[in-house]
Structures are given as structure tokens and as C-alpha cells.
Amino acid sequence: MNIRLILLIMVVVVFAAGCGAMSFLSGGGITLEQAYDTKQVEIIQNTAAGTIPHNVTIKNNGTKPLVVDKGTLLKSKESQDLVIIEDKKINPNNNDTVQAYCIEPDQKAVPGTTLNPSGTASSQIKQIIDSSNPSDLQNATQSQMQIWIIVSKGDVDVYTGEAMAVVQNQKTKYYQLQEKLDIAKKNVMSRFNLTSEGIQNISFTAESDNSANTWISDFRQWFKNNLGI
């Protein structure tokens, strides 16, 4: 049999298996990133600045179930950036609300603005999310403070953006919010075995791994150069 044909069949089989595995892992649906790239989803900020946690409406305009993963980062130019704190599956031509913590303390949330998925939160942020109780305001606020400590490298300005809005929304004092942040910093240092300097080096985003994409690109180029395909 022609070697080119054999190799081509192998590539098709591997590709099909990979797509099948991805479909299985996503429960027969598509990811938020895939839906956004193909313009099948709308992501809208719902709640006003100072809300903990925030609510985000996700509209699935596609024909497949939409899989929303906890830890997905949401970005916006007009509103604050967020991290989704629950897993959810949204049926086609349907919408649902997901909860999210703020990851941009110096920017206020603006209801009605659109957001877009932009990567995944770090393992530290995910651990904080997993151990939080969003239905309990005190617990959720503590979790929010810890996330802010990681994002801001330990230096949150309580007189700006979302931090200021939390003071106003919870009818507290600026010094009291600062005290909560100081406690949150100690908790983050203890939990992740960090020094004050170590907080400067911790990231709130997961390290991207493009090795699979690079391998596919290189393999495609090899086919083009050596087999004339």
C-alpha cells in the first residue's frame, strides 16, 4: 500500500480519536471558548459594582450544549475582569446565570457590559474558589480578598474601583476592608507557604501549554514538505 495513504489514514484516525475524546470530556457539548470563537455565545455582566459574588448571564445561541468550567477567566474593556466559580451546562438556545469573583480590584463592574473568555485561573485561585462558600457573604468576601491579594501582588488600593464599591455596598469602613485584606494576605501566605516577596511572583493565570498545537502545526508542515499534501 502507498506509504502516503497509510500515513494519511493514521492522521485521520488520530484526529478523530482526539476529537472524540474532547467531545467526551466536554459532555457532548462545546466549551465557552469554542462557542465564543464561533460567535455562538453572549456573556453579560449582571450585577453592580461591590457585589460578592457577581452574577453573569451566559446565552447559548448555538445548537450544542455549552459547557462552562469553573476557573474560566472573563475579560472586559469596560467592566471588571472575573473568574467563574461554578461548573454549569447550558442547553442550546437557552441562557443561565453563573457566579463569579472579581479579579480586578481597581476596576468597577458595569452591569450590561459584555465579557469574553480569556484563559484559566491558576491552581491557587482555583483552590480558593473550591473552598469558598458563595452563599455566605462573610465567607465569600474572605475568598474575594484572597483572590485580590494574589492578583494585586499583595497591594490592593481600597480607595479605587471594586474595592471602594465593596466598602459602599457592604456599608463598612475603608480601614475595616484594609483589615480584611491584611488577614487575607496572611492566609494566602500560610496556605501556599509564601513570604511577602513570594507573593510578588505568584500568578493568577494558569501556565498555557501550546505543545499540542505546536506538534500539530509541525506535523502538518512535515506532510506539506515531504509528501506534497
Side-chain angles (χ1 to χ4, degrees):
M1 185 180 291
N2 191 305
I3 185 65
R4 294 184 183 182
L5 181 58
I6 294 174
L7 290 172
L8 182 58
I9 292 173
M10 290 175 61
V11 170
V12 171
V13 170
V14 171
F15 180 76
C19 291
M22 290 178 66
S23 177
F24 173 78
L25 290 173
S26 62
I30 62 173
T31 67
L32 195 59
E33 291 82 358
Q34 290 170 334
Y36 181 80
D37 290 342
T38 53
K39 299 180 180 179
Q40 299 180 58
V41 67
E42 296 177 66
I43 309 170
I44 302 171
Q45 169 72 42
N46 264 348
T47 39
T51 306
I52 300 177
H54 280 283
N55 290 329
V56 176
T57 294
I58 300 180
K59 299 180 180 180
N60 180 7
N61 300 321
T63 59
K64 296 181 179 180
L66 177 62
V67 179
V68 180
D69 293 322
K70 176 169 51 179
T72 300
L73 299 174
L74 302 175
K75 299 272 188 174
S76 173
K77 292 181 179 180
E78 297 83 17
S79 185
Q80 63 170 246
D81 297 344
L82 302 165
V83 57
I84 295 174
I85 62 174
E86 59 181 329
D87 295 320
K88 190 156 287 190
K89 195 170 186 177
I90 304 174
N91 292 325
N93 297 312
N94 211 332
N95 66 76
D96 206 339
T97 298
V98 298
Q99 294 181 306
Y101 285 136
C102 166
I103 56 168
E104 200 174 13
D106 58 351
Q107 172 69 49
K108 284 187 177 182
V110 180
T113 55
T114 58
L115 303 116
N116 62 276
S118 182
T120 305
S122 66
S123 60
Q124 292 86 358
I125 296 290
K126 289 181 178 179
Q127 286 183 50
I128 293 172
I129 291 172
D130 287 339
S131 62
S132 73
N133 180 6
S135 63
D136 182 288
L137 180 59
Q138 182 177 354
N139 182 280
T141 300
Q142 292 172 354
S143 299
Q144 179 64 88
M145 299 299 106
Q146 291 182 38
I147 290 174
W148 281 352
I149 289 297
I150 291 176
V151 172
S152 68
K153 309 297 183 182
D155 186 19
V156 178
D157 185 350
V158 298
Y159 300 104
T160 62
E162 193 71 11
M164 181 175 68
V166 168
V167 171
Q168 297 168 348
N169 191 52
Q170 296 191 6
K171 295 179 174 59
T172 185
K173 304 294 184 182
Y174 288 104
Y175 79 87
Q176 292 175 319
L177 180 62
Q178 187 60 61
E179 288 176 350
K180 291 180 181 178
L181 287 164
D182 292 340
I183 294 172
K185 184 175 182 179
K186 292 178 181 177
N187 289 338
V188 167
M189 291 169 60
S190 174
R191 181 171 192 168
F192 302 111
N193 194 27
L194 297 169
T195 62
S196 294
E197 293 74 19
I199 291 179
Q200 300 292 322
N201 300 320
I202 193 171
S203 174
F204 71 92
T205 59
E207 293 294 330
S208 60
D209 182 6
N210 295 320
S211 58
N213 291 333
T214 300
W215 182 87
I216 292 172
S217 177
D218 291 343
F219 198 66
R220 186 185 299 117
Q221 189 63 41
W222 181 86
F223 259 89
K224 181 178 179 180
N225 292 339
N226 294 279
L227 301 179
I229 295 176

